[in-house]
Amino acid sequence: GIQVEQSPPDLILQEGANSTLRCNFSDSVNNLQWFHQNPWGQLINLFYIPSGTKQNGRLSATTVATERYSLLYISSSQTTDSGVYFCAVGNQGGKLIFGQGTELSVKP
Amino acid sequence: DSGVTQTPKHLITATGQRVTLRCSPRSGDLSVYWYQQSLDQGLQFLIQYYNGEERAKGNILERFSAQQFPDLHSELNLSSLELGDSALYFCASSPLSDTEAFFGQGTRLTVV
């Protein structure tokens, strides 16, 4: 089955810093989503981005489907950005395969 | 708020018992998915229903079963519970397959 690899596994930032999270996947996909899991366990949708570039406030994402990777950019990070960021991909009828996540800690 | 409702939020039960987790999808969504999040396995797909019919199966144990009812809500039944079944169980829904999925708040199951 499809493999999803996220990097880095952990990231510690000072408030105000920028960061880039990466997601590599091993096969072509027709679904790619980025999620933020907050400290209470909720999975919050960030982007649905099987290809192209999208922006939402301080966050943006780019997926290069032909090269099988996606990037999530966080600018001017805030303490509320802390949590785990997951990339999930799908290529068979809707089920998502999740990466192991990047745990982000933003220090004040 | 994603629009996907899961109940209960927390559940503590003993080994050997049976529990039922409930999910109400977003209005209009036909597809419902169940996922399990555990410390050692990460987030794993269990099963998908589409408009009442099973569509795909993942790493779901034989002790677990699910169904989707005519009103599109879904239930996940977990039986003969073991300590290792302790996990966060998520339900997600999407309008069709291969479209953006939205997740509920999860049910945290603790088996003691």
Side-chain angles (χ1 to χ4, degrees):
Chain A
I2 193 165
Q3 305 295 314
V4 184
E5 192 176 300
Q6 290 186 243
S7 59
D10 305 280
L11 191 54
I12 300 174
L13 299 174
Q14 285 297 127
E15 207 167 22
N18 303 328
S19 61
T20 302
L21 281 57
R22 186 175 180 105
C23 172
N24 292 332
F25 43 96
S26 61
D27 203 348
S28 58
V29 298
N30 50 24
N31 186 347
L32 190 146
Q33 294 186 237
W34 283 97
F35 297 91
H36 174 216
Q37 188 167 37
N38 64 22
W40 295 272
Q42 285 180 282
L43 276 171
I44 298 162
N45 286 42
L46 298 177
F47 294 101
Y48 171 71
I49 188 165
S51 64
T53 297
K54 290 186 177 179
Q55 179 153 10
N56 184 3
R58 296 181 295 104
L59 271 59
S60 63
T62 295
T63 297
V64 183
T66 52
E67 298 188 22
R68 298 182 184 167
Y69 73 89
S70 183
L71 302 173
L72 177 69
Y73 305 97
I74 305 173
S75 64
S76 304
S77 58
Q78 301 175 357
T79 56
T80 52
D81 294 332
S82 296
V84 183
Y85 289 79
F86 287 103
C87 168
V89 305
N91 64 1
Q92 292 179 14
K95 72 175 186 183
L96 291 172
I97 307 299
F98 281 78
Q100 290 302 304
T102 292
E103 184 161 6
L104 175 64
S105 178
V106 182
K107 305 294 187 187
Chain B
D1 183 3
S2 68
V4 180
T5 303
Q6 288 187 246
T7 56
K9 287 190 172 53
H10 302 275
L11 197 48
I12 301 175
T13 190
T15 54
Q17 295 298 304
R18 172 189 168 93
V19 297
T20 297
L21 312 184
R22 183 187 167 98
C23 170
S24 294
R26 295 188 319 155
S27 177
D29 284 359
L30 298 177
S31 224
V32 169
Y33 312 82
W34 287 97
Y35 291 83
Q36 179 195 57
Q37 185 177 29
S38 61
L39 282 174
D40 53 345
Q41 297 289 328
L43 263 158
Q44 291 212 312
F45 168 74
L46 294 178
I47 196 163
Q48 176 195 4
Y49 280 82
Y50 181 80
N51 203 20
E53 294 192 3
E54 184 183 302
R55 176 63 66 94
K57 246 181 179 176
N59 299 323
I60 187 166
L61 300 172
E62 283 192 14
R63 300 183 285 109
F64 296 0
S65 64
Q67 53 184 346
Q68 186 179 27
F69 294 87
D71 67 352
L72 300 178
H73 92 269
S74 179
E75 293 181 354
L76 179 66
N77 300 296
L78 314 176
S79 62
S80 303
L81 285 166
E82 303 174 359
L83 296 178
D85 298 326
S86 296
L88 191 50
Y89 290 85
F90 286 104
C91 169
S93 75
S94 64
L96 302 169
S97 295
D98 287 334
T99 53
E100 186 175 8
F102 292 84
F103 282 69
Q105 290 186 319
T107 293
R108 190 172 295 278
L109 173 66
T110 303
V111 183
V112 297

